[in-house]
Amino acid sequence: MTEFSQALRVDLTEDREETRRFLVLRRFFRSPTFVAGFAIVVMLVLLGTGGVWLSPYEATGMDLRNRLSPPTAQNWFGTDNFGRDVFTRVAAGSQLSMFVGLMVVAINAVAGAAIGALAGYLRQLDNLLMRVMDAFMAFPAMLLAIAITAALGPSLFNVVVALAVAYVPKTARIVRGTALIVREQQYVEAAQVAGAGTMRILRVHVLPNCLSSLVVQLTFVFASAVLAEATLSYLGVGLPPPAPTWGNGISDGREYIVEAWWISLFPGLAITFAVLGFNFLGDGLRDVLDPHLPGESE
Amino acid sequence: MSSPLLSVEGLRVAARTRRRENLLIEDVSFDVREGEFLGIVGESGSGKSMTALSIMGLLPGPVVQATAGRVLLQGRDVLKMPDGDLRRLRGGAIGMIFQDPMTSLNPVQTIGRQIVEVVRLHEEISRPAAWERAVELLREVNIPAPEERAQAYPHQLSGGMRQRVMIAMAIACRPRLLIADEPTTALDVTIQAQILELLDRLRRERGMAVVLITHDLGVVSEYADRVLVMYSGRVVETAPVADLFAAPSHPYTRGLLNSVPPLSEEVEELRAIEGQPPTPGAWPAGCRFRPRCDESRPACARWDVRLVSVDPGHSAACLLLDDKENAHAP
């Protein structure tokens, strides 16, 4: 009898664990904005990987006999003034944009979280760190990024650096705000009372509890970074021309906008969808993550 | 008698701003013996929690600091300890639990892991061994099915359960002293009794001293050996619990006792103490209870009152007592 109930109990808890995971997932997918954002992002990633692989053309391969062709069965999105396939360039641009976005987000996740958590938890550092961040924020992010790439020269690495510098202050400020709330929580005091040191409290208590607001912020950083990278390319301070960035695509089509609208339109749509997708994703995540998962108290 | 476990001597804590210094605690002295259950009673702002934080060396400096006095724990002054020693002390020789068990646990970690963390802060011990200890501790604080509960997150537990987990964390490294800062204020009455029973049982089984900070005299009367009554940052009366209830010597203590509803008889109206306790920094001269005291005289405003012994182990800070004892001419 006891053995039976023991077995039953173990079974029940395992079941519950699985149900819990399932419930968390379902919460994500019950949010329509999250689903929309998720779908768009998945499509962009598929476009970037699958599109380039499927296409018979090279992103920089010119075909001068087939210039400014409107969308056809061979060239889905048409061709540009050098006869390059716009679909292939948009797909390859998606890879570049995702790469830039990911790198900027990664740098933000590390630097922004570290600076924000330190400033929020250690009051002595707060003024110093945040005044430095304020100094960066005093410049419009775009202008700062243009200035940095202009100074460093246009390359993929420099674009990433410029955008990271432009967005880290904001991420740091948001993490700091959350850390300020977390540091007043009694479990931080309880950890002090239990003899934990500063670094340990930061690592075990402060950072993990700032994670949800950080994740939401990072999706917005991703969207902004994609948009900013396109802007830099368009202005001619991003990746230099043969590179198939979306910004370059729009810029290439500018002179032919009347005869050959497709050159600018498709990269433009790609940017719109990317920004929309990540913003939806962020909104959805915020809906799900912000009110802490309600307890299934027993 | 052997020397006390904890000895607070003339402790004075002040909040310093650029312009002025606000006293939060003044001239607080008391001892806690090994295995003793001491109750500290007082209203909000009377300095109870500040006293507790001083003992842990956790005053929110640099603004709030102990400006005088000593806090001797097993003969060493906590106020002068280097940071490393203080960290070993917290959670080691002294454990502490708080008022609100809802926010005292990290929401993103299982409770088992949190106990493991505390154990491993203080002892060289492997994770599996520390986990065993965590489960053992959860069993000791009467949590049913401790093996499973150790894997639960805080939000899956009720308030009473969480406070038990907090107690398990506080006693994880066998402290000699447990400070409980209003541990039952946020809990239902029935759970309150269970938690207090648990504290009392742990005290007896482990021979550890308990300092219970509360504003509930009923709780104190049931469990404490000795009581310290605080008012406006000062100790106004200290006595063994039976003496305090039988013969309260300070008008404030009498007022407090009068405002507790007796269980044995019907009372038309409880007699509350008139007025509000003064805020720190706006303390009246002389006896701080004077403005609210029924028995005050003009002289009360003139002298700072010291604790005067009434009986062995029982003293109070009231000029009326001083007069009786010394009968000195002004």
Side-chain angles (χ1 to χ4, degrees), chain A residues 96-163:
Chain A
L96 280 174
S97 292
M98 295 292 144
F99 178 76
V100 169
L102 273 181
M103 291 309 290
V104 172
V105 160
I107 295 171
N108 263 270
V110 176
I115 295 170
L118 277 174
Y121 184 67
L122 295 173
R123 309 297 290 143
Q124 312 92 286
L125 284 179
D126 187 30
N127 245 322
L128 176 70
L129 287 174
M130 280 302 126
R131 291 306 77 79
V132 173
M133 294 296 114
D134 283 349
F136 279 110
M137 288 217 284
F139 297 100
M142 206 53 236
L143 210 59
L144 187 63
I146 291 171
I148 294 172
T149 44
L152 297 178
S155 77
L156 191 59
F157 178 77
N158 290 344
V159 167
V160 168
V161 168
L163 294 181

Coordinates of all heavy atoms in Angstrom, one line a residue, chain A residues 96-163:
Chain A
L96 N 23.2 39.0 -43.1 CA 24.0 40.1 -42.6 C 23.3 40.8 -41.4 O 23.9 41.1 -40.4 CB 24.4 41.1 -43.7 CG 25.5 40.7 -44.6 CD1 25.6 41.7 -45.7 CD2 26.8 40.6 -43.8
S97 N 22.0 41.1 -41.7 CA 21.3 41.9 -40.7 C 21.2 41.0 -39.4 O 21.3 41.6 -38.3 CB 19.9 42.2 -41.2 OG 20.0 43.1 -42.2
M98 N 20.9 39.7 -39.5 CA 20.7 38.9 -38.4 C 22.1 38.8 -37.6 O 22.1 38.8 -36.4 CB 20.3 37.5 -38.8 CG 19.0 37.4 -39.4 SD 17.6 37.7 -38.2 CE 16.5 38.5 -39.3
F99 N 23.2 38.7 -38.4 CA 24.5 38.6 -37.7 C 24.8 39.9 -36.9 O 25.1 39.9 -35.8 CB 25.6 38.4 -38.8 CG 26.9 38.4 -38.2 CD1 27.4 37.3 -37.5 CD2 27.8 39.5 -38.3 CE1 28.6 37.2 -37.0 CE2 29.1 39.5 -37.7 CZ 29.5 38.3 -37.1
V100 N 24.5 41.1 -37.6 CA 24.8 42.3 -36.9 C 23.9 42.4 -35.7 O 24.3 42.7 -34.6 CB 24.5 43.5 -37.8 CG1 24.5 44.8 -37.0 CG2 25.6 43.6 -38.9
G101 N 22.6 42.1 -35.9 CA 21.7 42.1 -34.7 C 22.1 41.3 -33.6 O 22.2 41.7 -32.4
L102 N 22.5 40.0 -33.9 CA 22.9 39.1 -32.9 C 24.1 39.6 -32.1 O 24.2 39.5 -30.9 CB 23.2 37.7 -33.5 CG 22.0 36.8 -33.6 CD1 22.4 35.5 -34.2 CD2 21.4 36.5 -32.2
M103 N 25.1 40.1 -32.9 CA 26.3 40.5 -32.2 C 26.1 41.7 -31.3 O 26.5 41.8 -30.2 CB 27.4 41.0 -33.3 CG 28.0 39.8 -34.1 SD 28.6 38.5 -33.1 CE 30.0 39.3 -32.3
V104 N 25.3 42.7 -31.8 CA 24.9 43.8 -31.0 C 24.2 43.4 -29.7 O 24.5 43.8 -28.6 CB 24.1 44.8 -31.8 CG1 23.6 46.0 -30.9 CG2 24.9 45.4 -32.9
V105 N 23.3 42.4 -29.9 CA 22.5 41.9 -28.7 C 23.4 41.2 -27.8 O 23.3 41.4 -26.5 CB 21.4 41.0 -29.2 CG1 20.9 40.1 -28.1 CG2 20.2 41.8 -29.8
A106 N 24.4 40.4 -28.3 CA 25.3 39.7 -27.4 C 26.1 40.7 -26.6 O 26.2 40.5 -25.3 CB 26.2 38.8 -28.2
I107 N 26.6 41.7 -27.2 CA 27.4 42.7 -26.5 C 26.6 43.4 -25.5 O 27.0 43.7 -24.3 CB 28.1 43.7 -27.5 CG1 29.1 43.0 -28.4 CG2 28.8 44.8 -26.7 CD1 29.7 43.8 -29.5
N108 N 25.3 43.8 -25.9 CA 24.4 44.4 -25.0 C 24.1 43.5 -23.8 O 24.0 44.0 -22.6 CB 23.1 44.7 -25.7 CG 23.1 46.2 -26.1 OD1 22.6 47.0 -25.4 ND2 23.6 46.4 -27.3
A109 N 23.9 42.2 -24.0 CA 23.6 41.3 -23.0 C 24.7 41.2 -21.9 O 24.4 41.2 -20.7 CB 23.3 39.9 -23.5
V110 N 25.9 41.2 -22.4 CA 27.0 41.1 -21.4 C 27.4 42.5 -20.8 O 27.3 42.6 -19.6 CB 28.3 40.6 -22.1 CG1 29.5 40.6 -21.2 CG2 28.0 39.2 -22.7
A111 N 27.6 43.5 -21.6 CA 28.1 44.8 -21.1 C 26.9 45.5 -20.4 O 27.1 46.0 -19.3 CB 28.7 45.6 -22.2
G112 N 25.8 45.5 -21.1 CA 24.6 46.3 -20.5 C 24.2 45.7 -19.2 O 24.0 46.4 -18.2
A113 N 24.2 44.3 -19.1 CA 23.8 43.7 -17.9 C 24.8 43.9 -16.8 O 24.4 44.2 -15.6 CB 23.6 42.2 -18.1
A114 N 26.1 43.8 -17.1 CA 27.1 44.0 -16.1 C 27.1 45.4 -15.6 O 27.1 45.6 -14.3 CB 28.5 43.6 -16.7
I115 N 27.1 46.4 -16.5 CA 27.1 47.8 -16.0 C 25.9 48.1 -15.2 O 25.9 48.7 -14.1 CB 27.3 48.7 -17.2 CG1 28.6 48.5 -17.9 CG2 27.1 50.2 -16.8 CD1 28.8 49.2 -19.2
G116 N 24.7 47.7 -15.8 CA 23.4 48.0 -15.1 C 23.4 47.3 -13.7 O 23.0 48.0 -12.7
A117 N 23.7 46.1 -13.6 CA 23.6 45.4 -12.3 C 24.6 46.0 -11.3 O 24.2 46.2 -10.1 CB 23.9 43.9 -12.5
L118 N 25.8 46.3 -11.7 CA 26.8 46.9 -10.8 C 26.3 48.3 -10.3 O 26.3 48.6 -9.1 CB 28.1 47.1 -11.5 CG 29.1 45.9 -11.6 CD1 30.3 46.2 -12.4 CD2 29.5 45.5 -10.2
A119 N 25.8 49.1 -11.3 CA 25.4 50.4 -10.9 C 24.1 50.3 -10.0 O 24.0 51.1 -9.0 CB 25.0 51.2 -12.1
G120 N 23.2 49.4 -10.3 CA 22.0 49.3 -9.5 C 22.3 48.7 -8.1 O 21.7 49.1 -7.1
Y121 N 23.2 47.8 -8.0 CA 23.4 47.2 -6.7 C 24.4 47.9 -5.8 O 24.2 48.0 -4.6 CB 23.8 45.7 -6.9 CG 23.9 45.0 -5.6 CD1 22.8 44.8 -4.8 CD2 25.2 44.6 -5.1 CE1 22.9 44.2 -3.6 CE2 25.2 44.0 -3.8 CZ 24.1 43.8 -3.1 OH 24.2 43.2 -1.9
L122 N 25.5 48.3 -6.5 CA 26.6 49.0 -5.7 C 26.4 50.5 -5.8 O 26.7 51.1 -6.8 CB 28.0 48.6 -6.2 CG 28.4 47.2 -6.0 CD1 29.7 46.9 -6.6 CD2 28.4 46.9 -4.5
R123 N 25.8 51.1 -4.8 CA 25.4 52.5 -4.9 C 26.6 53.4 -5.1 O 26.5 54.5 -5.7 CB 24.7 53.0 -3.7 CG 23.5 52.1 -3.3 CD 22.4 52.1 -4.4 NE 21.7 53.4 -4.5 CZ 21.3 53.9 -5.6 NH1 21.6 53.3 -6.7 NH2 20.7 55.1 -5.6
Q124 N 27.8 53.0 -4.7 CA 29.0 53.8 -4.8 C 29.4 54.0 -6.3 O 29.9 55.0 -6.7 CB 30.2 53.2 -4.1 CG 30.0 52.8 -2.7 CD 29.6 51.3 -2.6 OE1 28.5 50.9 -3.0 NE2 30.5 50.5 -2.2
L125 N 29.1 52.9 -7.1 CA 29.5 53.0 -8.5 C 28.4 53.6 -9.3 O 28.7 54.0 -10.5 CB 29.7 51.5 -9.0 CG 31.0 50.9 -8.6 CD1 31.0 49.5 -9.2 CD2 32.2 51.7 -9.1
D126 N 27.2 53.8 -8.8 CA 26.1 54.2 -9.6 C 26.3 55.5 -10.3 O 26.2 55.6 -11.5 CB 24.9 54.3 -8.6 CG 23.6 54.6 -9.4 OD1 23.5 54.1 -10.6 OD2 22.7 55.2 -8.9
N127 N 26.7 56.5 -9.5 CA 26.9 57.8 -10.1 C 27.9 57.8 -11.2 O 27.7 58.3 -12.3 CB 27.4 58.8 -9.0 CG 26.3 59.9 -8.8 OD1 25.7 60.3 -9.7 ND2 26.1 60.3 -7.5
L128 N 29.1 57.2 -10.9 CA 30.1 57.2 -11.9 C 29.7 56.5 -13.2 O 29.7 57.1 -14.3 CB 31.3 56.4 -11.4 CG 32.5 56.2 -12.3 CD1 33.2 57.6 -12.6 CD2 33.5 55.2 -11.8
L129 N 29.2 55.3 -13.1 CA 28.8 54.5 -14.3 C 27.6 55.2 -15.0 O 27.7 55.3 -16.3 CB 28.4 53.1 -13.9 CG 29.5 52.2 -13.4 CD1 28.9 50.9 -12.9 CD2 30.4 51.9 -14.6
M130 N 26.7 55.6 -14.3 CA 25.5 56.2 -15.0 C 25.8 57.5 -15.6 O 25.2 57.9 -16.6 CB 24.3 56.3 -14.0 CG 23.6 54.9 -13.8 SD 23.0 54.3 -15.4 CE 23.8 52.7 -15.4
R131 N 26.7 58.3 -15.0 CA 27.0 59.6 -15.7 C 27.7 59.3 -17.0 O 27.5 60.0 -18.0 CB 27.8 60.5 -14.8 CG 27.1 61.1 -13.5 CD 25.9 61.8 -13.8 NE 24.7 61.0 -14.1 CZ 24.0 60.4 -13.2 NH1 24.3 60.4 -11.9 NH2 22.9 59.6 -13.5
V132 N 28.6 58.3 -17.0 CA 29.2 58.0 -18.3 C 28.2 57.5 -19.3 O 28.2 57.9 -20.5 CB 30.3 56.8 -18.0 CG1 30.8 56.4 -19.4 CG2 31.4 57.3 -17.1
M133 N 27.2 56.7 -18.8 CA 26.2 56.2 -19.8 C 25.3 57.4 -20.2 O 25.0 57.5 -21.4 CB 25.2 55.2 -19.0 CG 25.9 53.9 -18.7 SD 26.5 53.0 -20.1 CE 28.2 53.0 -19.9
D134 N 25.1 58.4 -19.3 CA 24.3 59.6 -19.7 C 25.0 60.3 -20.8 O 24.4 60.8 -21.7 CB 24.1 60.5 -18.5 CG 23.0 60.0 -17.6 OD1 22.3 59.0 -18.0 OD2 22.9 60.4 -16.4
A135 N 26.4 60.4 -20.7 CA 27.1 61.1 -21.7 C 26.9 60.5 -23.0 O 26.7 61.2 -24.0 CB 28.6 61.1 -21.3
F136 N 26.9 59.2 -23.1 CA 26.7 58.5 -24.4 C 25.3 58.7 -24.8 O 25.0 58.9 -26.0 CB 26.9 57.0 -24.2 CG 28.4 56.7 -24.3 CD1 29.1 56.2 -23.2 CD2 29.1 56.8 -25.5 CE1 30.4 55.9 -23.3 CE2 30.4 56.5 -25.6 CZ 31.1 56.0 -24.5
M137 N 24.3 58.7 -23.9 CA 22.9 58.9 -24.3 C 22.6 60.3 -24.7 O 21.6 60.5 -25.4 CB 22.0 58.4 -23.1 CG 22.0 56.9 -22.9 SD 20.4 56.3 -22.5 CE 20.3 56.8 -20.8
A138 N 23.5 61.2 -24.3 CA 23.2 62.6 -24.7 C 23.2 62.8 -26.2 O 22.6 63.6 -26.8 CB 24.2 63.5 -24.1
F139 N 24.1 61.9 -26.9 CA 24.1 61.9 -28.4 C 22.9 61.1 -28.9 O 22.6 60.0 -28.3 CB 25.3 61.3 -28.9 CG 26.6 62.0 -28.6 CD1 27.4 61.6 -27.5 CD2 27.0 63.1 -29.3 CE1 28.5 62.2 -27.2 CE2 28.1 63.8 -28.9 CZ 28.9 63.3 -27.9
P140 N 22.2 61.5 -30.0 CA 21.3 60.6 -30.6 C 22.0 59.4 -31.0 O 23.1 59.4 -31.6 CB 20.7 61.4 -31.8 CG 21.1 62.8 -31.5 CD 22.3 62.8 -30.6
A141 N 21.4 58.2 -30.7 CA 22.1 56.9 -31.0 C 22.6 56.8 -32.4 O 23.7 56.4 -32.7 CB 21.1 55.8 -30.7
M142 N 21.7 57.3 -33.4 CA 22.1 57.2 -34.8 C 23.3 58.0 -35.1 O 24.2 57.6 -35.8 CB 20.9 57.7 -35.6 CG 20.7 57.1 -36.9 SD 20.8 55.3 -37.0 CE 22.1 55.2 -38.1
L143 N 23.3 59.2 -34.6 CA 24.4 60.2 -34.9 C 25.7 59.6 -34.3 O 26.7 59.7 -35.0 CB 24.1 61.5 -34.2 CG 24.6 62.7 -34.9 CD1 24.1 62.8 -36.3 CD2 24.3 64.0 -34.1
L144 N 25.6 59.0 -33.1 CA 26.8 58.5 -32.5 C 27.3 57.3 -33.3 O 28.5 57.2 -33.6 CB 26.4 58.0 -31.1 CG 27.6 57.5 -30.2 CD1 28.5 58.6 -29.9 CD2 27.0 56.9 -28.9
A145 N 26.4 56.5 -33.8 CA 26.9 55.3 -34.6 C 27.5 55.8 -35.9 O 28.5 55.3 -36.3 CB 25.7 54.4 -34.9
I146 N 26.9 56.8 -36.5 CA 27.5 57.4 -37.8 C 28.9 57.9 -37.5 O 29.8 57.6 -38.2 CB 26.6 58.5 -38.4 CG1 25.3 57.9 -38.9 CG2 27.3 59.2 -39.5 CD1 24.2 58.9 -39.3
A147 N 29.0 58.7 -36.4 CA 30.3 59.2 -36.0 C 31.3 58.2 -35.9 O 32.5 58.3 -36.3 CB 30.1 60.1 -34.8
I148 N 31.0 57.1 -35.2 CA 31.9 56.0 -34.9 C 32.3 55.3 -36.2 O 33.5 55.1 -36.4 CB 31.4 55.0 -33.8 CG1 31.2 55.8 -32.5 CG2 32.3 53.8 -33.7 CD1 30.5 54.9 -31.4
T149 N 31.4 54.9 -37.0 CA 31.8 54.2 -38.2 C 32.5 55.2 -39.2 O 33.5 54.7 -39.8 CB 30.5 53.7 -39.0 OG1 29.5 54.7 -39.0 CG2 30.0 52.4 -38.4
A150 N 32.2 56.4 -39.1 CA 32.9 57.4 -40.0 C 34.3 57.5 -39.5 O 35.3 57.5 -40.3 CB 32.2 58.8 -39.9
A151 N 34.5 57.4 -38.2 CA 35.9 57.5 -37.7 C 36.7 56.2 -37.9 O 37.9 56.2 -38.2 CB 35.8 57.9 -36.2
L152 N 36.0 55.1 -37.6 CA 36.7 53.8 -37.7 C 36.8 53.2 -39.1 O 37.6 52.4 -39.4 CB 36.0 52.8 -36.8 CG 36.0 53.1 -35.3 CD1 35.2 52.0 -34.6 CD2 37.4 53.2 -34.7
G153 N 36.0 53.7 -40.0 CA 36.0 53.2 -41.3 C 34.9 52.1 -41.5 O 34.5 51.5 -40.5
P154 N 34.3 52.0 -42.7 CA 33.2 51.1 -42.8 C 33.6 49.6 -42.9 O 34.3 49.2 -43.8 CB 32.5 51.5 -44.1 CG 33.6 52.2 -44.9 CD 34.6 52.7 -43.9
S155 N 33.2 48.8 -41.9 CA 33.4 47.4 -42.0 C 32.4 46.7 -41.1 O 31.8 47.4 -40.2 CB 34.8 47.0 -41.6 OG 34.9 47.0 -40.2
L156 N 32.2 45.4 -41.3 CA 31.2 44.7 -40.5 C 31.5 44.9 -39.0 O 30.6 45.3 -38.2 CB 31.2 43.3 -40.8 CG 30.0 42.4 -40.3 CD1 28.7 43.0 -40.8 CD2 30.2 41.0 -40.7
F157 N 32.7 44.7 -38.6 CA 33.1 44.8 -37.2 C 32.9 46.2 -36.6 O 32.3 46.3 -35.5 CB 34.6 44.4 -37.1 CG 35.2 44.5 -35.7 CD1 34.9 43.5 -34.8 CD2 35.9 45.6 -35.3 CE1 35.4 43.6 -33.5 CE2 36.4 45.7 -34.0 CZ 36.1 44.7 -33.1
N158 N 33.2 47.2 -37.4 CA 33.0 48.6 -36.9 C 31.6 48.9 -36.8 O 31.2 49.7 -35.9 CB 33.8 49.5 -37.8 CG 35.3 49.4 -37.7 OD1 35.7 48.8 -36.8 ND2 36.0 50.0 -38.7
V159 N 30.8 48.4 -37.7 CA 29.3 48.7 -37.6 C 28.8 48.1 -36.3 O 28.1 48.7 -35.5 CB 28.6 48.1 -38.8 CG1 27.1 48.0 -38.5 CG2 28.9 48.9 -40.0
V160 N 29.2 46.8 -36.0 CA 28.8 46.2 -34.7 C 29.3 47.0 -33.5 O 28.5 47.3 -32.6 CB 29.3 44.7 -34.7 CG1 29.1 44.2 -33.3 CG2 28.7 43.9 -35.7
V161 N 30.5 47.4 -33.5 CA 31.0 48.2 -32.4 C 30.2 49.5 -32.3 O 29.8 49.9 -31.2 CB 32.5 48.6 -32.6 CG1 33.0 49.6 -31.6 CG2 33.4 47.3 -32.5
A162 N 30.0 50.2 -33.4 CA 29.3 51.5 -33.3 C 27.9 51.3 -32.7 O 27.4 52.0 -31.9 CB 29.2 52.1 -34.7
L163 N 27.2 50.2 -33.2 CA 25.8 50.1 -32.7 C 25.8 49.6 -31.3 O 24.9 50.0 -30.5 CB 25.1 49.0 -33.6 CG 24.8 49.5 -35.0 CD1 24.1 48.5 -35.8 CD2 24.1 50.8 -35.0

